[in-house]
Amino acid sequence: MKRHVDHCRSHNKKCCSGFGFATLLIIAGILLLCTKLNLIPTKYIDALISWQIVLIIIGLLSLIIKHLYAAVIFATLGIFFIIPKIGLVPDNFIGEVPTNFVQLYWPILLIIAGVLVVIHRIFPPKHKTIREHFLNEAEKKGHKNQYECENGFVNKRSLFESGKHIVLDPEFKGGNVKTVFGETKMDLRKTSLPEGNTQLIIDVSFGSVVIYVPTDWRIQLNVNSVFGTFEDKRAFQENDADPSKTLVISGSVVFGEGSLKN
């Protein structure tokens, strides 16, 4: 019986996958046909045949199968990123769009993400939530929420989780901090740096990370930001810092924020 149920589930997944791909082909064909018949002005073809439209279609498909949160996320991302493309079209129907639209308005995505979290907390869905889906997928791949600090080396992974950790080892020897849809605070003010460069790699997606460091540490920032920021917010920076000891913070912040404080 169990084998039969697993077979049915596998069959249903294949059907859904095939149905989704077929729907994408049908909609793409309809859009192209409408442009050929001049039902849609050809000037919009570059905007219509794009990955942004694919996201919007995936959002619509998610809505059809009653995955409301996934529908909102995909549709929002698609609409947000297609607006600048439409803005490049002469005499478009939405009017003038700033050339730096994405860089200017990306915090709107954080606001929408926050609203979704609040709605999810107030009205939890009966079916499996997006959070549970991500957690289950992460667990399958061995990417569980965890915090490890061994011999001064920190390894922190968090998914839909917030937490603060204080490193108490005599020397901080580096580490990796990964945060997705969550907040991580790392306090290094009770430890010290060894001689040379100490590497701390951060990876933030739709979340935030805050690193607290002593005022006498020498810091080098090599963080790449994509629709996000990583700022040095220390009140006092590198007072009497030892030039032989440097904390090198590298990594990336995507749709999120990071900061350095003392």
Side-chain angles (χ1 to χ4, degrees):
M1 177 66 70
K2 182 178 179 181
R3 183 177 179 182
H4 175 70
V5 171
D6 291 340
H7 173 74
C8 290
R9 288 178 178 173
S10 176
H11 176 71
N12 289 335
K13 288 181 179 179
K14 290 180 179 178
C15 289
C16 291
S17 176
F19 173 76
F21 180 69
T23 304
L24 287 174
L25 292 178
I26 292 171
I27 295 176
I30 291 173
L31 291 175
L32 287 172
L33 181 61
C34 288
T35 57
K36 296 296 184 182
L37 297 176
N38 294 323
L39 298 176
I40 297 177
T42 55
K43 61 184 181 180
Y44 290 111
I45 190 168
D46 288 338
L48 292 175
I49 309 302
S50 62
W51 61 268
Q52 291 93 337
I53 285 293
V54 173
L55 289 181
I56 295 173
I57 294 173
I58 292 175
L60 294 175
L61 292 177
S62 299
L63 185 61
I64 292 173
I65 60 177
K66 299 180 181 180
H67 288 176
L68 179 60
Y69 290 97
V72 173
I73 290 173
F74 283 113
T76 299
L77 289 174
I79 293 171
F80 181 82
F81 286 106
I82 203 172
I83 289 176
K85 290 183 72 71
I86 296 177
L88 296 175
V89 177
D91 300 322
N92 63 77
F93 63 90
I94 62 175
E96 185 177 355
V97 178
T99 55
N100 62 338
F101 175 85
V102 174
Q103 292 80 0
L104 189 62
Y105 292 107
W106 71 262
I108 292 176
L109 297 177
L110 295 182
I111 295 172
I112 294 174
V115 170
L116 286 177
V117 172
V118 171
I119 294 175
H120 172 266
R121 293 291 177 88
I122 298 176
F123 306 104
K126 295 181 180 180
H127 55 78
K128 183 184 290 186
T129 65
I130 293 177
R131 178 182 184 275
E132 292 173 339
H133 172 74
F134 275 112
L135 289 174
N136 289 340
E137 290 299 318
E139 185 174 355
K140 290 178 183 178
K141 298 177 181 179
H143 301 316
K144 298 181 180 180
N145 289 329
Q146 64 178 21
Y147 172 74
E148 298 175 348
C149 185
E150 185 175 355
N151 297 323
F153 188 87
V154 171
N155 185 24
K156 168 64 180 176
R157 292 178 181 172
S158 62
L159 180 63
F160 289 98
E161 181 188 58
S162 298
K164 181 176 181 179
H165 306 280
I166 302 175
V167 178
L168 300 175
D169 294 75
E171 285 188 338
F172 176 66
K173 298 179 180 178
N176 294 283
V177 176
K178 183 172 184 178
T179 301
V180 181
F181 287 103
E183 180 184 43
T184 297
K185 295 182 179 179
M186 190 73 60
D187 195 337
L188 304 176
R189 292 174 293 188
K190 296 184 181 297
T191 184
S192 60
L193 288 176
E195 294 286 335
N197 292 342
T198 302
Q199 298 284 340
L200 175 61
I201 302 173
I202 64 168
D203 184 359
V204 182
S205 300
F206 294 95
S208 67
V209 61
V210 180
I211 310 296
Y212 295 93
V213 297
T215 57
D216 60 347
W217 278 20
R218 185 169 180 265
I219 309 294
Q220 180 180 336
L221 295 179
N222 297 321
V223 180
N224 297 318
S225 299
V226 180
F227 310 123
T229 60
F230 192 95
E231 300 179 89
D232 190 341
K233 296 184 178 180
R234 290 177 291 169
F236 304 98
Q237 299 183 16
E238 302 178 10
N239 294 334
D240 302 322
D242 186 348
S244 65
K245 302 177 181 180
T246 303
L247 175 64
V248 180
I249 301 178
S250 58
S252 63
V253 177
V254 181
F255 289 107
E257 61 179 354
S259 60
L260 194 64
K261 298 182 179 181
N262 52 23

